[in-house]
Amino acid sequence: MTTIEKIQKQISDNPIILYMKGSPKLPSCGFSAQASQVLSQCGVPFAYVDILQNPDIRAELPKYADWPTFPQLWIDGELVGGCDIMIEMFQSGELQTLTKETASKYQTA
């Protein structure tokens, strides 16, 4: 499996996925810390990939996404954006709506 195929599988297998430095419990940069905190406050489960542990993904994802920086939030197969966009969306209530709608869409009965 190529790195791009791995990224595509992660994005398709996880309705809400955050590519970040570190983990939500132990983020390795301030932007990743803010992004995971905002996402956690939405109250829905999400997956994450620590790009520091996955240098292949760290190298390939910016090209695949056409987005140069981390963290990157993907919801329902679409790139939402990075930390600043997430914070703006959270403050407007848009992120909570989007994550809750996506989580309920993918809940198994």
Side-chain angles (χ1 to χ4, degrees):
M1 183 182 284
T2 68
T3 300
I4 295 296
E5 289 169 339
K6 193 187 320 181
I7 291 167
Q8 289 169 331
K9 181 167 175 32
Q10 289 170 340
I11 291 169
S12 67
D13 286 354
N14 297 287
I16 303 171
I17 185 166
L18 182 65
Y19 288 91
M20 64 181 292
K21 294 178 180 175
S23 69
K25 285 189 168 60
L26 279 173
S28 296
C29 85
F31 295 114
S32 289
Q34 287 181 309
S36 61
Q37 186 176 22
V38 163
L39 198 51
S40 295
Q41 288 176 6
C42 291
V44 296
F46 65 94
Y48 75 92
V49 174
D50 179 355
I51 59 154
L52 300 177
Q53 301 293 322
N54 296 277
D56 54 337
I57 292 173
R58 184 181 191 176
E60 292 297 323
L61 186 61
K63 292 180 260 187
Y64 175 78
D66 199 21
W67 190 268
T69 58
F70 293 98
Q72 289 185 17
L73 175 63
W74 291 73
I75 296 181
D76 208 4
E78 299 289 323
L79 175 64
V80 173
C83 183
D84 293 347
I85 292 170
M86 290 175 66
I87 289 170
E88 285 174 26
M89 289 176 69
F90 183 81
Q91 289 170 342
S92 73
E94 192 181 348
L95 188 63
Q96 296 88 319
T97 301
L98 181 60
T99 55
K100 282 181 176 52
E101 285 173 359
T102 302
S104 66
K105 188 163 102 176
Y106 287 91
Q107 277 179 341
T108 49

